[in-house]
Amino acid sequence: MAEESVDERWCMLYVEIRERIRAAHVVISFPSLKEGSQADMSKLNVSVNTRSIEVTSNGKSRTFSIPGTRLIPKSCHSLHWRQGEGLHFRVEISKVDDTSVSTKSGSGVEQELDCIENGVCQLTCRVCESCILTLNCQFERILPLPSENWRELADDWMCHNSDITNKMKKASLEPRVKDCFVGDLYLSVNMSSVDKENVIAGNRNYHQKLKEGTTFVIICQKCRSIIGKATSNEPDNGHRNVLDLAESMQLYKHCVKLWKGEMLTDTFRSYTLQNYFARLIKTSCSNNASFRFVVYSNIGNTPAFILLWLLNCDSTLVMSTVKQSEELNQYIGLISHNEDETVNGLRSCNIVKILYQSCLNNDNKELLEEWKQNDTVERLVLNDEWCLQLLSLLVNNTQHLPPSLRKTDNNFQVSYLRLT
């Protein structure tokens, strides 16, 4: 992905677009101005147009084309200069274009269904490409899964009490042999379709027998990367492979690759650990009608990792490109693989905006206890490794925000997670 040239980095742009309230917060920064230095404002000219923002200073000029958004120039307000940072102002926007990034998503479920059902397919570990499914696996029934909170919504399907609705709520969505169910974040397959030589149960205490209904992590036998999870349908008697206790397995889309014959498809290429977290938090918020979460590890009595407070899910960020660590980018998706998202040195992405505080080393202990006593705060349980990666992502993304926007008055850190 092309980055900006050194000559273009004299002026950088940050825009947060709130589609729901039709407003944008714009920050024009000048990296060459160090904190405490004085800017000659008489030589700075900013012109806001319907489709772009033009900046001229000391004989240099740069035009930022805002993708998919129409600005209303006459609505500019709250103009102010922050020393060592740059120019801040707000502007109203008209309706975001249908072709904008805010309506763009990765691979749709319908496209994924079509790709999976056309002949023999194979799912492999994204890291080492070790095969997960049995040889020449071909699914006979490929179906989309309903939303995660469909049971809660079932009571609204009919205007009266119905035995049919109650039976459906108790029904299992376990895939049968040669079934593949496709959800927003994962694929659910019957355990008979899984090559048990290449996957093992991870993150569990082998001296403690699994109880019925226990969820455990599935990892790749070769590289030990997390690829999914399963739930035991019967207790562990100590004489069987743990995988035999589960009827099916969920494979995370961001952890696998889909092959058709010997050809790798791009079906799950847009899924990353970052947008997995973003969609998980957004879905949990919708399911539980809660905006605050305490993130716990799934290992034993591990204390809480992070306090999360969801601000909104309708923001789009438009930022000047910044060079990232390629290794980190590929693994957890700090930036998108889609090259078409970078236009004229600007990168656009949908985000969920989040406030957070770390609970490691007994930090924020009093606030954590307060949240535990609050019925509106939900638990969010992740495996131990992902708890640390979520915190790492939040800290990293905080550094991409303008310094004055990184912290709230109540000492929460401000960050975001990419949805697309």
Side-chain angles (χ1 to χ4, degrees):
M1 187 180 293
E3 302 289 345
E4 290 180 309
S5 67
V6 176
D7 291 339
E8 291 177 323
R9 291 181 183 170
W10 68 272
C11 176
M12 308 285 279
L13 183 71
Y14 167 92
V15 183
E16 180 183 352
I17 301 169
R18 293 290 309 280
E19 184 176 357
R20 189 171 300 171
I21 62 176
R22 304 279 181 88
H25 183 179
V26 181
V27 180
I28 302 172
S29 61
F30 303 88
S32 59
L33 289 179
K34 298 181 179 179
E35 190 169 352
S37 61
Q38 297 295 323
D40 188 353
M41 298 296 293
S42 63
K43 297 181 180 179
L44 176 63
N45 181 60
V46 177
S47 177
V48 179
N49 304 306
T50 305
R51 291 286 191 176
S52 63
I53 298 175
E54 184 178 353
V55 184
T56 304
S57 178
N58 294 321
K60 296 181 179 179
S61 179
R62 184 167 185 194
T63 300
F64 297 100
S65 297
I66 311 300
T69 303
R70 293 178 180 270
L71 307 176
I72 304 177
K74 292 183 179 181
S75 67
C76 290
H77 64 283
S78 302
L79 180 69
H80 63 282
W81 177 271
R82 285 192 177 271
Q83 199 63 37
E85 186 172 313
L87 186 68
H88 289 240
F89 63 91
R90 297 180 182 274
V91 62
E92 294 179 14
I93 63 172
S94 58
K95 186 176 180 180
V96 178
D97 292 352
D98 293 338
T99 56
S100 72
V101 68
S102 62
T103 60
K104 184 172 64 178
S105 61
S107 299
V109 172
E110 292 183 1
Q111 295 175 347
E112 294 168 5
L113 292 172
D114 291 340
C115 189
I116 294 172
E117 65 185 3
N118 291 329
V120 176
C121 67
Q122 179 59 265
L123 293 171
T124 65
C125 170
R126 180 172 287 198
V127 177
C128 69
E129 297 188 353
S130 178
C131 293
I132 298 173
L133 302 180
T134 54
L135 186 65
N136 297 324
C137 179
Q138 185 170 359
F139 297 110
E140 295 180 355
R141 200 169 61 140
I142 301 98
L143 299 172
L145 284 168
S147 61
E148 295 296 321
N149 62 331
W150 70 271
R151 284 186 171 87
E152 288 77 5
L153 299 175
D155 292 331
D156 298 327
W157 291 351
M158 297 185 182
C159 60
H160 60 281
N161 293 330
S162 171
D163 292 337
I164 297 177
T165 302
N166 293 330
K167 289 179 180 179
M168 292 184 66
K169 289 170 65 175
K170 296 177 182 178
S172 171
L173 291 181
E174 295 283 351
R176 298 197 294 263
V177 176
K178 293 190 177 182
D179 280 356
C180 178
F181 296 163
V182 183
D184 290 335
L185 302 174
Y186 59 85
L187 306 174
S188 184
V189 299
N190 190 275
M191 199 60 79
S192 63
S193 300
V194 177
D195 188 343
K196 297 177 183 177
E197 297 295 324
N198 292 337
V199 299
I200 58 175
N203 284 1
R204 58 179 293 263
N205 187 344
Y206 289 92
H207 299 290
Q208 184 178 2
K209 293 183 179 180
L210 291 178
K211 298 179 181 179
E212 183 178 353
T214 302
T215 299
F216 54 93
V217 173
I218 303 295
I219 63 176
C220 174
Q221 172 78 279
K222 184 177 181 180
C223 68
R224 295 301 195 268
S225 297
I226 296 170
I227 57 175
K229 68 178 181 180
T231 302
S232 60
N233 290 336
E234 54 184 290
D236 183 6
N237 57 19
H239 301 286
R240 299 170 59 187
N241 185 339
V242 174
L243 298 179
D244 293 334
L245 301 176
E247 184 178 344
S248 64
M249 180 168 66
Q250 292 181 4
L251 295 168
Y252 300 120
K253 292 180 182 179
H254 68 277
C255 295
V256 299
K257 293 180 178 179
L258 176 64
W259 297 75
K260 301 297 292 185
E262 297 182 355
M263 184 177 297
L264 175 65
T265 71
D266 289 335
T267 307
F268 302 135
R269 190 168 181 257
S270 63
Y271 291 92
T272 66
L273 184 58
Q274 178 163 191
N275 59 42
Y276 171 83
F277 288 143
R279 295 180 189 187
L280 178 65
I281 293 170
K282 183 178 179 180
T283 301
S284 298
C285 174
S286 174
N287 291 352
N288 302 303
S290 175
F291 296 94
R292 292 186 292 174
F293 303 91
V294 180
V295 179
Y296 290 90
S297 168
N298 63 351
I299 299 180
N301 295 319
T302 305
F305 268 80
I306 317 168
L307 303 179
L308 297 180
W309 194 329
L310 180 64
L311 285 182
N312 64 71
C313 301
D314 68 328
S315 288
T316 299
L317 285 190
V318 180
M319 297 187 292
S320 298
T321 54
V322 180
K323 191 173 183 180
Q324 303 283 356
S325 164
E326 290 299 324
E327 181 180 355
L328 191 59
N329 168 44
Q330 292 175 5
Y331 188 61
I332 57 179
L334 285 176
I335 58 177
S336 174
H337 294 281
N338 298 329
E339 294 185 4
D340 59 347
E341 286 192 1
T342 300
V343 181
N344 296 327
L346 294 178
R347 179 179 292 113
S348 300
C349 61
N350 291 339
I351 65 165
V352 292
K353 198 168 184 181
I354 293 171
L355 303 182
Y356 71 96
Q357 286 194 14
S358 169
C359 295
L360 297 179
N361 303 320
N362 288 323
D363 293 339
N364 304 301
K365 190 174 182 180
E366 291 183 5
L367 182 60
L368 173 60
E369 291 302 319
E370 181 184 328
W371 279 32
K372 284 182 177 179
Q373 302 300 320
N374 194 321
D375 293 337
T376 65
V377 177
E378 297 292 330
R379 291 170 58 95
L380 197 60
V381 181
L382 302 173
N383 65 70
D384 200 56
E385 179 183 340
W386 282 4
C387 287
L388 292 173
Q389 290 179 353
L390 173 58
L391 182 58
S392 176
L393 273 168
L394 292 171
V395 171
N396 180 82
N397 288 348
T398 296
Q399 302 308 309
H400 293 174
L401 302 178
S404 61
L405 304 179
R406 295 176 184 174
K407 198 171 184 178
T408 65
D409 293 337
N410 58 353
N411 293 323
F412 273 86
Q413 301 294 318
V414 182
S415 189
Y416 64 90
L417 293 170
R418 293 177 57 106
L419 274 168
T420 59

